[in-house]
Amino acid sequence: MADPKKLFIKTYGCQMNVYDSERMAEAMGADGYVTTETADDADMVLLNTCHIREKAGEKLYSDLGRLRELKRDKPNLKIGVAGCVAQAEGAEIMRRMPIVDLVVGPQSYHNLPAMARGDAPNIDTEFPLEDKFDLLPERKATRGPTAFLTVQEGCDKFCAFCVVPYTRGSEVSRAASRILAEARGLVEKGVRDITLLGQNVNAYHGSSEAGDFTLSRLIRELARIDGLQRIRYTTSHPNDMEDDLIAAHGDEPKLMPYLHLPVQSGSDRVLKAMNRKHTAEQYLRLIERIRAARPDILLSSDFIVGFPGETDADFAATLDLIRAVGYGQAYSFKYSARPGTPAAEKPELPADVVDARLQTLQALLTEQQRAVQQSMVGRELGVLYEKPGRQAGQMIGKSDHLHAVYVNDPAGKVGELVRVRILASSTNSLAGERISE
Ligand code: 5AD
Ligand code: SF4
């Protein structure tokens, strides 16, 4: 038998891209490819791009510049561009970079093997009607006991700064029966912890023979799968936090006490300009209701600083909101104009102002993150072991709140969910001792 061909996938950006890369690797696996860790020994390189905030185009073209050198030595090397930049720029990529053999948008990954074989057109940025994931091979459990599972794609919210509604298209939910089947398959392969993914995951509205499904109904059904021990979901919009989803945080023990609920800004003026369709006060009331259902929930958010027109007073309102919530985790970004979005038309703030605000904001968030992590010391938490640590007898896992935890447990096994007493907190992790059999 011929040696398998080697595929190197570079994934930029979000968890949904990580999931898509796994599915593409599986699809190509069915066509005889195995994945490799570097471009140097690959027969095919696939760049799975993200358009959200990085200087996506520049990054892609500088990577392609490097690959051009490689292709000079290996003329048979196939180069593909996938993801949101592929969707947004399509044929333009091939015009600028003739070394690119194929361009495939996020809705067309099922066509990738045929495209790579030369049996299909080499540009595909269509939005098909069927569930693209149905057309891909069955899942493998490649991340040990944890897995991502995309349940919804696209977004209808049109936040003024965001390209997602344009690159990923409007909201489409996968059928609940397909998701449940995929989850059961993953659990049979040893997965214990599933994170449901969607650009707007809590807007999930899928159907099945058993009627309509909201995200909370889907979570409740998933929770009935024996062997599945933990459920999470990301990313959510505040306006889609429905009552039963909040209730599920209180009464569904498999739903983990962690919620990523981006607010972006604490200023009503900026929120309005961003087209977020809620106020800071409404967000704070929502957080109160979520905490009433699950008092120990760890909250996470995204923030954008330096949105066009943001004043010192607007920025101060964001700091106030952060102080009022107390986040355990957060991501913060400098605003960067994305072509084609409404905000890109507006004048940008001076870079030094934005830099200074980002520093102030991140200092506050880091302080809160440390405090929340420190507050875990002394508590007994669930920890799912994901891999052995570097020291003999040590296991590394994630707590219910998604903190990394180191446990000295020579008998511990990957995939085991154990009770751990947290003993210490350091910069990026916790240490604890196992208390369960
Ligand atoms: N500039 C900066 N940050 C952005 N995000 C999305 N678009 C932009 C942009 N144009 C951030 C938001 C979003 C996260 C995924 O990326 O905070 O929640
Ligand atoms: Fe982008 Fe807003 Fe949709 Fe999130 S909710 S994907 S930020 S448009």
Side-chain angles (χ1 to χ4, degrees):
M1 217 173 83
D3 280 347
K5 288 196 222 150
K6 291 187 181 154
L7 171 68
F8 172 67
I9 305 186
K10 178 166 174 180
T11 307
Y12 312 70
C14 66
Q15 290 160 324
M16 299 197 59
N17 269 11
V18 173
Y19 176 85
D20 285 352
S21 290
E22 287 171 6
R23 302 288 320 245
M24 286 191 276
E26 289 162 11
M28 295 300 285
D31 242 27
Y33 280 84
V34 295
T35 51
T36 173
E37 297 300 309
T38 69
D40 294 336
D41 67 350
D43 299 288
M44 176 166 175
V45 174
L46 193 60
L47 304 175
N48 189 7
T49 59
C50 169
H51 207 211
I52 283 205
R53 52 179 177 265
E54 296 104 334
K55 298 202 179 314
E58 283 169 38
K59 225 182 193 171
L60 171 64
Y61 289 110
S62 81
D63 278 347
L64 287 174
R66 245 170 287 134
L67 288 171
R68 184 165 46 196
E69 306 289 306
L70 192 62
K71 194 156 174 162
R72 212 165 279 157
D73 299 334
K74 290 170 66 173
N76 291 333
L77 178 68
K78 259 195 204 331
I79 297 175
V81 180
C84 290
V85 182
Q87 186 68 40
E89 302 194 5
E92 174 64 20
I93 298 173
M94 282 188 170
R95 262 195 297 277
R96 276 186 62 181
M97 277 290 180
I99 56 152
V100 173
D101 298 288
L102 61 95
V103 173
V104 58
Q107 304 307 322
S108 306
Y109 293 154
H110 51 281
N111 290 333
L112 181 64
M115 293 171 80
R117 286 194 303 266
D119 293 343
N122 59 359
I123 299 182
D124 192 341
T125 51
E126 295 297 308
F127 281 95
L129 289 174
E130 71 269 52
D131 181 340
K132 67 175 186 186
F133 296 117
D134 279 357
L135 304 168
L136 291 168
E138 211 196 313
R139 292 303 309 279
K140 295 198 176 110
T142 46
R143 309 167 64 79
T146 68
F148 291 140
L149 203 176
T150 293
V151 303
Q152 176 278 337
E153 280 195 281
C155 181
D156 297 335
K157 293 283 189 291
F158 291 92
C159 296
F161 50 81
C162 185
V163 286
V164 166
Y166 311 97
T167 56
R168 292 269 174 166
S170 57
E171 278 174 28
V172 180
S173 293
R174 297 178 65 197
S177 50
R178 309 265 162 73
I179 296 165
L180 291 163
E182 187 170 328
R184 282 189 206 101
L186 286 166
V187 170
E188 273 166 25
K189 296 182 177 82
V191 167
R192 298 288 167 259
D193 177 325
I194 290 182
T195 301
L196 306 176
L197 299 180
Q199 262 98 21
N200 214 332
V201 71
N202 59 342
Y204 175 81
H205 264 95
S207 54
S208 102
E209 303 76 49
D212 288 344
F213 271 70
T214 56
L215 184 66
S216 60
R217 182 167 177 208
L218 184 64
I219 289 169
R220 292 181 189 287
E221 283 295 323
L222 286 164
R224 291 164 58 174
I225 300 177
D226 280 342
L228 178 59
Q229 292 172 304
R230 293 172 146 188
I231 302 167
R232 309 174 191 276
Y233 60 94
T234 195
T235 291
S236 297
H237 191 287
N239 291 359
D240 292 316
M241 284 306 296
E242 287 173 357
D243 292 348
D244 191 54
L245 185 55
I246 297 175
H249 277 285
D251 61 32
E252 182 43 71
K254 291 186 181 180
L255 183 57
M256 289 293 102
Y258 182 100
L259 178 62
H260 183 60
L261 195 61
V263 66
Q264 315 293 357
S265 167
S267 151
D268 288 345
R269 233 175 50 82
V270 174
L271 287 168
K272 192 159 197 303
M274 287 178 163
N275 193 31
R276 291 289 294 179
K277 299 201 173 87
H278 62 77
T279 63
E281 186 61 26
Q282 283 165 336
Y283 181 85
L284 291 172
R285 294 288 81 81
L286 176 61
I287 297 292
E288 266 173 23
R289 287 171 54 219
I290 296 164
R291 281 203 166 123
R294 182 77 203 229
D296 73 336
I297 198 162
L298 185 150
L299 291 160
S300 164
S301 180
D302 292 340
F303 295 95
I304 296 178
V305 298
F307 187 77
E310 184 188 73
T311 63
D312 283 338
D314 293 323
F315 178 63
T318 300
L319 297 178
D320 286 345
L321 178 139
I322 294 172
R323 287 189 198 100
V325 173
Y327 287 100
Q329 165 69 39
Y331 304 90
S332 44
F333 313 103
K334 287 192 257 186
Y335 169 74
S336 77
R338 313 310 304 146
T341 59
E345 309 290 312
K346 299 189 183 167
E348 290 185 34
L349 297 187
D352 55 336
V353 172
V354 181
D355 286 343
R357 285 183 191 164
L358 186 68
Q359 268 192 24
T360 308
L361 181 108
Q362 289 187 335
L364 175 60
L365 288 168
T366 305
E367 195 184 298
Q368 291 197 338
Q369 264 162 251
R370 290 224 179 99
V372 168
Q373 201 183 287
Q374 182 66 37
S375 74
M376 299 290 161
V377 175
R379 291 186 55 180
E380 290 176 11
L381 302 173
V383 173
L384 178 66
Y385 288 154
E386 290 182 8
K387 56 184 179 194
R390 241 180 269 157
Q391 287 166 25
Q394 189 182 52
M395 296 301 293
I396 307 177
K398 292 276 164 52
S399 76
D400 301 335
H401 304 84
L402 218 48
H403 287 121
V405 186
Y406 288 73
V407 185
N408 183 27
D409 183 2
K413 291 184 200 68
V414 170
E416 238 183 324
L417 178 63
V418 300
R419 298 295 295 170
V420 168
R421 184 177 298 111
I422 303 300
L423 301 173
S425 169
S426 60
T427 319
N428 289 315
S429 61
L430 298 167
E433 61 181 0
R434 180 171 177 166
I435 50 178
S436 61
E437 283 312 302

